[in-house]
Structure formats: structure tokens, C-alpha cells
Amino acid sequence: MKNLKSNIYFKVGIIIFLILILMIPTSMVENLIHEREGVQLTAIQEVSAKWGKGQTVSGPVLSIPFDKYIRKYNKKDSIEELIKLKEWVHFLPETLKITGRIMPEKRYRGIYEVVVYDSKLKIEGNFSDLDFKKLDIATKDVHFDKATLNFGINDLKGIEKQVTVNWNNKNISFNSGTATKEVILSGIHAVVPISTDSISAHSFTTEIDLKGSQYLYFTPVGKTTDVSIRSNWNTPSFTGTYLPDEREISEKGFTSSWNILHLNRNYPQEWIGRTYNIDSSSFGTDLLLPVDNYKKSYRVARYAILFLVLTFITFFFVEVMKKVFIHPMHYLLVGIAIIVFYTLLLSISEHIKFNLAYILASILTISLVSLYTIAILKSKQIGFLLFGILLIMYSFIFTIIQLQDYALLIGSLGMFVILSIIMFYARKIDWYNIKLGK
């Protein structure tokens, strides 16, 4: 037993075994982070379900039914029959202009923050040249009296008051649902007057007060689409198929504007049936919370093996160079303290800012390990040395998670420096004739 105690290879094997064993609770911590993130997502969904989910405003789309005749051969009677079917032709506006204001606010579900908003949207534009001949549709087969103007809205609970459209200077109220599901699945519609004498140009204007959460998107259905949005939210994320042509973000909020042509998207101005999907071209603004502690906690947890390896290497070099013996149980307890750091970081960051939570959890963990080292080795010098090394390590990881774009570069350079230091101190050690302890 005494020989095993001083055998360097046995000690190295024990250290590797302990690192592998400690990776099990490390994976449990990562699962805990994912679980807490799931609880946060559930809280967001619960608030959003009652207030209004993320909204995508699609349209308007002018949908008009028409009769289509097909010939079918009746084998039984040996005659050719003419069958009448009802189909829909869909037209998109020539111009579309959307101006809006988003008024976000934070709501709370337990300890979790949820971003919800009120918005006021003004939508205007015009349809021109409803060319049925281009689609090989006879005007006599078109049901102009059933023409409908359709707007897509994801969550109809977000509509705060009755919506009307000014169609050719005539106010018309919208009804719930869409006339056809071929282009827009969820939304509102209004039956608008169109006759064979007035199919060349139609103007529209409507205003919508819409509630939602997390994001507000639009679809560029106009031959030219102009969207201008302003808000007092200062941490937006512009996402979707198109980025804004102009944007300005300050502490007081943001303004953004898009100008999109029909040439920028993959569907035409008119078609029949379910031929195209307009939702794939949506764009807009996500209202991001400035801190996402779960993603940062997960990134820190991915460096757990680095913390364990470097801490244990430090202990091992102390044994070799100071001729002291550190029991495997001490290694294990120190390793558990390092793992507890991640649960401390996760739990504290749910209540205060992540950076402050990291500093607090680091100080607690470094102090615990350093004081424990002083107690077991009876050496303040070694305890302060370990304190300094751990402080550098935790500061290094903190720097990496702050510089997300340069994390790989900084991490690689840092590991190179650490390896160089280890090789420098290990260069004069006679590994064949070394024994641990005095």
C-alpha cells in the first residue's frame, strides 16, 4: 500500500479516473441547465398564449373565386361530360406600405421575464391591373361579388379592436377567418366590391392594433413593399429573409425600414390555387431580452473538463515539486467543489445579472478550494498559489464567454500558453525516478 501511495503511475491513473467520474455530474449539470431553460420557455409560452403569440402579418391578398370547366369522359354512357369546379385566383398588391410603432413591456411569470408588446400598424396600398387573361380565366366565369381581401395574422387573440378597411373610399368591416386557406391559414377577411368595369385599380387603407410577444414579422406581398417600424425597445434583432435597408438603434429605442421588390422573392403577383407559399419570405424584428443566462451557463459548463484537468494538474505538480502527498479523496472533494460552481452560477444568474453571478460564484468556489488546500497541506504559500492559478483560470473563461466571435481564437491561444507553462515546469522533472511524498 505504501508503494502504491508513492507510485506516480498509480496516482496519474487515479487522477484520470476521478476526472472521468466527475464528468458524470458535469453532464447532469448541463441537463439541469437545459431543464431550467425549458421551464423558462414554458413560462414564455403560458404568458404568450394569454396575451398574444409572436405575430406575422401577411398580405393583403385579394382572392376571387371563379368557375373552371374540365372535360371528363364517361365510360359508362360513352359520352364526354363538362364538369364545373370552383377555384380561387389570388392577386397581390402593386404597392404596399406599412408604418408601425411597437410598444413593448416586460411581464413576469415567477422569476422569468417575458417580452410582450402592443403595436399600431397602418397598412395601405393598391391593386392594379387584375389581369385574368394572363391566367387564362374568362371574365364571365369570375364571381366578382365574392371577392375577398385577406390579411394573415398568426394569433387572432392579439387583435384589440374591430378592424375596417377603406376600400376605394368605402369603409368595410373585417370578419374572422379567411375566405380560403390556399394562401393564408389564419387571419381576417373582408368582402370587397369589384366589378368588370373597375378591375383595373383599387386602393386600400387599414389600421390594426395588434398585441403579441417576442417578435413581429411581415411578408413582402407588394410589387414594391415599404415597411417602417419604430419602438422604444433598445435590443432588437432584425431577422428573417431580409435585413432592413436602414436602421438606427440607441438607448431610446430603434427605427428600421425595409424596401423590397417583387424581384427579391420567389412568387409572382398572381396565381391560381395553392401554388406558392408567401410565409417563407417573412421578415421583421425580434424583441430580445438583453441577457440569456442559460446559454452563457451552458457555454461555461462546456469548459468543465478544462477546469478539472488544470486544477488536478496543479495539485499534481504541487505533490511532485513540494514533495507532499495529496490523498485521492482530496482530489475528489476539490473536483466536486468545481462542479458545484456551475450550479451556483446557474441558480444565482436566475436572480441577478450573469456577469455578477459569475464573479460571485467564482469567488466562493476559489475561496473554498484555496482554504481547503491550506487546511490539508498546512501551507498558506501553496494555498495562495492555488488561489492565484484558479483566479487566472476563471478570469480566462470569463473572457472567452464575453468574446463570442473570438472565443475559439482566444481559447486556443490560452491553451497554448497554459501548455507552455506546464512544459516549462515539467522540463527538469525526472519522471522515471520520481516518488510522491517525503
Side-chain angles (χ1 to χ4, degrees):
M1 184 67 184
K2 185 176 180 180
N3 290 335
L4 286 178
K5 176 179 177 180
S6 59
N7 189 294
I8 187 172
Y9 302 107
F10 176 74
K11 174 56 70 74
V12 170
I14 288 293
I15 291 173
I16 294 174
F17 175 75
L18 289 175
I19 291 174
L20 294 176
I21 289 296
L22 288 169
M23 291 309 297
I24 296 175
T26 299
S27 65
M28 294 172 65
V29 170
E30 292 182 0
N31 290 335
L32 178 62
I33 295 172
H34 287 301
E35 179 184 333
R36 297 298 293 178
E37 190 174 24
V39 174
Q40 182 193 43
L41 181 60
T42 300
I44 292 173
Q45 290 174 343
E46 288 179 357
V47 174
S48 299
K50 297 176 181 179
W51 177 270
K53 299 178 181 178
Q55 300 285 14
T56 299
V57 179
S58 304
V61 178
L62 182 61
S63 299
I64 307 174
F66 68 96
D67 295 327
K68 180 179 180 180
Y69 297 91
I70 62 171
R71 297 184 181 276
K72 184 177 182 181
Y73 183 73
N74 189 328
K75 293 182 179 180
K76 182 178 179 180
D77 299 325
S78 298
I79 60 173
E80 193 174 59
E81 298 178 333
L82 196 63
I83 300 176
K84 183 172 72 172
L85 301 175
K86 180 183 177 182
E87 293 199 9
W88 290 85
V89 58
H90 310 288
F91 294 95
L92 302 184
E94 182 76 10
T95 61
L96 176 63
K97 182 180 180 181
I98 302 174
T99 55
R101 184 163 59 97
I102 303 175
M103 295 81 73
E105 60 178 288
K106 294 180 182 179
R107 294 293 177 95
Y108 294 88
R109 184 74 169 182
I111 63 173
Y112 301 106
E113 288 183 334
V114 183
V115 181
V116 298
Y117 63 82
D118 284 303
S119 66
K120 292 185 178 295
L121 305 174
K122 182 179 181 180
I123 306 172
E124 54 190 327
N126 72 285
F127 291 86
S128 64
D129 190 20
L130 304 184
D131 192 352
F132 293 93
K133 292 181 180 180
K134 181 189 289 190
L135 299 170
D136 196 24
I137 301 173
T139 305
K140 64 180 179 61
D141 295 328
V142 179
H143 297 276
F144 290 101
D145 59 323
K146 295 181 180 178
T148 59
L149 189 69
N150 299 277
F151 275 96
I153 297 174
N154 282 11
D155 191 351
L156 298 179
K157 291 195 304 294
I159 300 176
E160 295 194 88
K161 64 181 182 181
Q162 177 63 42
V163 184
T164 61
V165 61
N166 185 294
W167 179 264
N168 293 333
N169 298 318
K170 181 181 179 181
N171 288 326
I172 303 171
S173 295
F174 278 96
N175 296 309
S176 180
T178 56
T180 171
K181 304 291 184 183
E182 292 180 347
V183 182
I184 298 173
L185 296 178
S186 172
I188 56 178
H189 77 279
V191 178
V192 293
I194 294 179
S195 67
T196 56
D197 297 329
S198 60
I199 62 174
S200 59
H202 302 277
S203 62
F204 63 88
T205 302
T206 186
E207 295 184 358
I208 303 176
D209 291 353
L210 190 63
K211 296 192 301 184
S213 57
Q214 304 299 309
Y215 66 84
L216 177 61
Y217 292 169
F218 306 94
T219 55
V221 295
K223 197 168 186 179
T224 59
T225 301
D226 291 292
V227 178
S228 298
I229 299 296
R230 60 189 177 93
S231 174
N232 59 354
W233 190 257
N234 58 15
T235 56
S237 174
F238 303 108
T239 57
T241 308
Y242 312 97
L243 293 177
D245 297 290
E246 297 180 4
R247 62 179 179 178
E248 183 178 344
I249 303 174
S250 67
E251 290 297 321
K252 296 181 179 180
F254 74 88
T255 60
S256 57
S257 61
W258 293 259
N259 177 259
I260 302 166
L261 304 177
H262 71 292
L263 298 174
N264 304 135
R265 55 172 211 235
N266 198 28
Y267 47 87
Q269 287 298 110
E270 61 280 311
W271 67 86
I272 297 172
R274 303 177 182 271
T275 312
Y276 298 98
N277 175 23
I278 65 174
D279 291 335
S280 60
S281 62
S282 62
F283 64 94
T285 304
D286 286 336
L287 303 176
L288 296 180
L289 286 168
V291 177
D292 192 343
N293 59 302
Y294 296 112
K295 284 184 173 57
K296 288 186 176 181
S297 295
Y298 181 73
R299 288 180 60 200
V300 174
R302 293 173 64 183
Y303 292 98
I305 188 169
L306 179 62
F307 278 95
L308 290 170
V309 169
L310 292 181
T311 304
F312 284 5
I313 286 178
T314 302
F315 268 58
F316 179 73
F317 270 71
V318 167
E319 286 193 81
V320 171
M321 301 179 74
K322 297 295 183 179
K323 300 299 182 181
V324 296
F325 177 76
I326 301 177
H327 195 276
M329 183 57 68
H330 299 321
Y331 277 89
L332 179 61
L333 291 175
V334 169
I336 293 174
I338 293 173
I339 302 302
V340 170
F341 161 76
Y342 299 105
T343 60
L344 279 174
L345 175 62
L346 175 62
S347 57
I348 296 173
S349 67
E350 289 184 331
H351 300 277
I352 62 176
K353 292 183 177 180
F354 180 84
N355 290 351
L356 185 59
Y358 185 96
I359 293 172
L360 182 58
S362 299
I363 291 174
L364 290 173
T365 303
I366 294 172
S367 300
L368 176 63
V369 173
S370 301
L371 291 173
Y372 184 69
T373 302
I374 292 173
I376 62 175
L377 297 181
K378 312 297 183 184
S379 172
K380 291 184 178 179
Q381 181 183 4
I382 296 177
F384 288 132
L385 173 65
L386 186 62
F387 181 90
I389 293 173
L390 290 177
L391 184 62
I392 293 172
M393 283 171 47
Y394 280 84
S395 300
F396 172 61
I397 300 300
F398 181 77
T399 302
I400 289 178
I401 64 174
Q402 299 302 314
L403 303 174
Q404 184 171 351
D405 293 338
Y406 299 95
L408 180 60
L409 175 62
I410 301 299
S412 300
L413 292 175
M415 289 302 299
F416 179 81
V417 171
I418 291 170
L419 181 60
S420 300
I421 295 172
I422 293 173
M423 293 174 69
F424 176 79
Y425 283 103
R427 73 191 191 285
K428 293 184 178 180
I429 297 177
D430 185 358
W431 296 98
Y432 289 102
N433 296 307
I434 191 170
K435 287 188 177 181
L436 302 175
K438 295 180 180 180

